[in-house]
Amino acid sequence: MTHALARELVDRGHDVSLFAGPGSDPALPVELLDLPEFEPSEVAMGDVNAPSRHWMAEHHAYLSLMLSLAGGEDRRFDVVHNNSLHHLPVAMARSLSVPVVTTLHTPPLPWLESAIALAPDTSSFVAVSRATARAWSHVADATAVHNGVDVTSWRPGPGGGPAVWTGRLVPEKAPHEAVDACRLAGVPLLLAGPMSDPAYFEEQIAPRLGEGATYVGHLDHAALAGLLGHASVAVTTPAWDEPYGLVAAEAMACGTPVASYARGALPEVVAPEAGVLARPGDVEDLARAVLAARDCDRAVVRRHAELHCSLTRMTDEYERLYADLVDRSLAA
């Protein structure tokens, strides 16, 4: 989301600086802010309560950024948009002279709740769905801005092929239930995504493969778009309250209807004309949804994605938010 938003803002004529970890896309047309490195001493790390080196590296990076901004670097910018899950950008927002907006991408996290409690009015908050906004409502008043996908990259395809499940193969996304549901429905299924939990894959996925269920590996975006474009239906099986449901938006942008459990934000993302929702955790009901969703008009599904799930729509909303924050800051 951050990558896509930054690229779209630059295309619209904005000057964008990005603070991100090593391995970020070097071709992204933004100014990359320096990421300071820090190696704690062996004496410090020998303390029985010392955090991990990874935790310390992230802490040092965010502390360096916020101190730099508070020291006057923030005057280069009109607004700071925080997409991280770290507490320091929220806790230190009051030290900046420009507005800070934080997008909440996950259910509530204790360290972010703590930061918000100590600095409740110094950052504006956006949530990636109304469901996520409700989940945070006890500590933050967040405006909902749905995520968006680049519908020029996720192009419509002919459909007619097997069902497809995409995403990380982990217990909280329950792809094994997609296999069971499609088998009940008599619909072949292709699974695509990184094997992020090898133990789960070996225990729950591998024994279910065969008999119309195939794992096709971890695909790049182009290959994944092609797979989705040829699918008759995309299946999503969240075993948790999905904050947004990006895989559903990607599928609908390819014209592929969605059969999904009605959990988290998916009832907001998947409109009745673009898919069919099933009772959460009910494999038999999901099998019904798989069969019913295949009857959706693919052109209508694509149009829904263009209107409601596009990167253009998301960026329009963030542009309006930035402008409002800057106007209010200037008027203060």
Side-chain angles (χ1 to χ4, degrees):
M1 174 269 187
T2 304
H3 182 283
L5 178 61
R7 190 185 68 241
E8 180 71 11
L9 287 170
V10 170
D11 287 346
R12 296 182 181 203
H14 297 281
D15 293 324
V16 178
S17 297
L18 178 67
F19 185 76
S24 300
D25 184 1
L28 196 63
V30 299
E31 177 194 5
L32 291 173
L33 300 177
D34 288 337
L35 184 68
E37 294 184 2
F38 173 69
E39 185 63 33
S41 70
E42 293 300 325
V43 174
M45 293 305 293
D47 184 89
V48 294
N49 295 312
S52 69
R53 292 183 183 276
H54 176 75
W55 190 96
M56 279 304 309
E58 287 206 338
H59 171 80
H60 185 74
Y62 283 112
L63 183 59
S64 172
L65 172 69
M66 296 308 294
L67 288 174
S68 174
L69 292 173
E73 280 295 303
D74 61 334
R75 297 188 185 94
R76 297 172 51 203
F77 308 112
D78 296 308
V79 64
V80 172
H81 187 172
N82 169 37
N83 280 294
S84 79
L85 303 180
H86 204 276
H87 61 283
L88 283 178
V90 174
M92 296 181 66
R94 69 176 62 193
S95 65
L96 274 59
S97 63
V98 299
V100 177
V101 57
T102 294
T103 296
L104 302 169
H105 292 273
T106 69
L109 301 171
W111 49 89
L112 279 180
E113 285 192 353
S114 170
I116 294 170
L118 293 172
D121 301 318
T122 54
S123 182
S124 298
F125 294 95
V126 168
V128 296
S129 65
R130 293 188 296 275
T132 301
R134 288 193 297 271
W136 283 91
S137 61
H138 60 293
V139 289
D141 182 14
T143 301
V145 175
H146 284 143
N147 282 340
V149 300
D150 184 356
V151 296
T152 64
S153 297
W154 300 92
R155 298 294 303 166
V164 168
W165 185 99
T166 62
R168 292 181 298 114
L169 286 95
V170 291
E172 63 266 26
K173 294 188 180 291
H176 66 283
E177 294 185 5
V179 177
D180 293 346
C182 286
R183 192 159 283 151
L184 274 176
V187 176
L189 174 70
L190 302 179
L191 297 154
M195 205 183 299
S196 301
D197 187 331
Y200 166 74
F201 186 92
E202 290 303 318
E203 180 181 339
Q204 297 290 346
I205 302 299
R208 287 175 162 85
L209 297 179
E211 299 180 42
T214 305
Y215 174 56
V216 297
H218 183 20
L219 307 179
D220 62 25
H221 279 185
L224 197 57
L227 189 74
L228 285 167
H230 284 84
S232 58
V233 60
V235 186
T236 65
T237 47
W240 71 310
D241 290 334
E242 197 75 52
Y244 175 68
L246 198 62
V247 296
E250 292 167 349
M252 292 184 295
C254 295
T256 300
V258 175
S260 173
Y261 288 148
R263 289 203 65 167
L266 282 157
E268 300 174 39
V269 177
V270 182
E273 66 272 18
V276 179
L277 299 175
R279 291 184 293 272
D282 188 330
V283 171
E284 290 186 359
D285 199 38
L286 183 61
R288 171 199 63 81
V290 167
L291 292 173
R294 297 192 305 171
D295 292 332
C296 291
D297 184 320
R298 295 183 67 87
V300 173
V301 175
R302 165 69 181 187
R303 185 59 180 158
H304 168 74
E306 290 173 334
L307 291 175
H308 301 287
C309 305
S310 74
L311 174 61
T312 300
R313 189 270 314 149
M314 180 186 78
T315 309
D316 287 344
E317 293 189 44
Y318 274 116
E319 273 191 320
R320 288 193 291 269
L321 175 64
Y322 299 155
D324 181 60
L325 289 174
V326 170
D327 287 346
R328 280 192 280 157
S329 177
L330 293 175

